[in-house]
Amino acid sequence: MTETRDEFGGPGWDIRSGSSPAPLTSLLTRAAGRWYVGGVFSLLWLVTVVPDVITSSPTPLAATVGIALCLVFAAAFLASVPFAWTLPRSRRLLPALALLALSFTLSPWIGWGVRGLWTYVGVVIGMAVVSLHTTWVALLALGALAVLAGVLTEGWDENVFWIPAIIVSISAMMAAFARNIAAMNELRATRDRMAVLAVERERTRVARDIHDILGHSLTVITVKAELAGRLVDADPTRARAEIADVEQLARGALADVRSTVGGYRGVTIAGELAAARAALEAAGVSPDLPGTTDAVPPERRELAGWVVREGVTNVVRHAQASVCRVRVGTDEITIDDDGVGIVRGDGVGGAVDGTVFGGSGSGSGSGSGHGLAGLRERVEAAGGRLSVGRSDLGGLRLRVRL
């Protein structure tokens, strides 16, 4: 059993759907210790049974034995819950059955009053985190048994339902609580696994990129170096030219490796349109994107890529749209959606009817700004102009003149 408390808070109980290989050792972990702290408070109800045990004991020895059995029951209750977490699901109710059987050892002192202790049995059932169907069947069966015990001792009246109602309600509440903790623990475990996979993917990407970069560059460098070696006596001028090419190739390969390791990726309109399609489809937005970017001049394609990236990010995050349309031209890019349009009060200024966008957007981050505000600065720095207005689709139109 492992430690589970983290920045999400929570009691730190290690409730999981799997099993742990060391059940006895798990009873001594810090996660189990936190359960013991909470469980001790619930044992205050058990303290009320002790006077009844003493009163019904004919001798001091009998009273001592009865109190000892109460202590054993309390210890079994505290241990059964963390022990159940370590068992396979098919056997997780065994501690609850054992606790139910143990409660009958107090019958010589309190008779069918032992049904008051079955709340602890129900809590163990709820905290075991078995299937929802199994949990309810077990709790309702325990409640029915408590009703039967009440009828046998008190007769049939409305009072026989009080203890069963308490048993089922408290146990169901603890079952919901345990399931919530189990779900949080599974999410934490999934998050940790995803982090490991992300690292592995990044390592694979870097290795692949370095291989692709160096494989070609080093091959050419090798060929040119061999050629220069053969020409050094026959044609020194050409040999020097080949050596200069080798130096240029080596410097270029070094720069590419540094860029790859640093995670840098140049922004291009073609790459951002491909990424935009994936992002829109993942967000449930129908993409209407151009099939070619030939109309955009080469010197403006990086800026056009930033426009597509920030504009589509704004649609995905804020527009609540179902359709996003992107059009690119020689000197203009428009991004339209059918979403909620311009929303005031979100920290992003703007106006309709083609006015220039202003404000301090809080959208997705970019290299030199934040969201659309950062994009406006980038566009204006390149001599362009950014404006927002009402789209013919019913939502927002982002227009950038390059």
Side-chain angles (χ1 to χ4, degrees), residues 48-137:
T48 62
V49 178
V50 174
D52 295 335
V53 171
I54 296 175
T55 302
S56 60
S57 299
T59 64
L61 178 60
T64 302
V65 173
I67 295 173
L69 288 174
C70 289
L71 294 176
V72 171
F73 183 88
F77 166 69
L78 293 176
S80 60
V81 171
F83 182 76
W85 296 339
T86 69
L87 298 175
R89 283 201 171 192
S90 60
R91 293 187 289 172
R92 282 192 174 184
L93 293 184
L94 292 180
L97 291 175
L99 192 65
L100 177 64
L102 185 60
S103 69
F104 284 100
T105 62
L106 291 170
S107 295
W109 287 268
I110 58 177
W112 280 108
V114 296
R115 70 185 188 279
L117 303 178
W118 294 348
T119 301
Y120 297 104
V121 178
V123 169
V124 175
I125 293 173
M127 296 296 293
V129 194
V130 294
S131 69
L132 190 61
H133 176 267
T134 302
T135 298
W136 276 110
V137 168

Side-chain angles (χ1 to χ4, degrees), residues 29-211:
T29 61
R30 293 179 61 186
R34 290 195 176 98
W35 155 254
Y36 297 148
V37 172
V40 165
F41 285 101
S42 68
L43 291 175
L44 294 177
W45 192 353
L46 183 61
V47 174
T48 62
V49 178
V50 174
D52 295 335
V53 171
I54 296 175
T55 302
S56 60
S57 299
T59 64
L61 178 60
T64 302
V65 173
I67 295 173
L69 288 174
C70 289
L71 294 176
V72 171
F73 183 88
F77 166 69
L78 293 176
S80 60
V81 171
F83 182 76
W85 296 339
T86 69
L87 298 175
R89 283 201 171 192
S90 60
R91 293 187 289 172
R92 282 192 174 184
L93 293 184
L94 292 180
L97 291 175
L99 192 65
L100 177 64
L102 185 60
S103 69
F104 284 100
T105 62
L106 291 170
S107 295
W109 287 268
I110 58 177
W112 280 108
V114 296
R115 70 185 188 279
L117 303 178
W118 294 348
T119 301
Y120 297 104
V121 178
V123 169
V124 175
I125 293 173
M127 296 296 293
V129 194
V130 294
S131 69
L132 190 61
H133 176 267
T134 302
T135 298
W136 276 110
V137 168
L139 292 181
L140 292 177
L142 185 64
L145 183 60
V147 170
L148 178 61
V151 171
L152 294 176
T153 56
E154 301 175 7
W156 185 264
D157 59 50
E158 65 276 7
N159 293 326
V160 300
F161 292 103
W162 282 108
I163 292 180
I166 293 173
I167 292 173
V168 174
S169 59
I170 293 179
S171 302
M173 179 186 67
M174 294 303 295
F177 183 50
R179 289 177 179 279
N180 183 50
I181 297 174
M184 292 175 62
N185 290 340
E186 292 296 331
L187 288 174
R188 293 185 185 105
T190 301
R191 178 196 60 185
D192 294 341
R193 288 193 295 269
M194 291 180 65
V196 172
L197 291 175
V199 172
E200 293 297 328
R201 284 196 297 267
E202 184 62 13
R203 288 175 178 172
T204 302
R205 181 194 67 80
V206 172
R208 182 183 63 247
D209 290 353
I210 291 178
H211 175 272

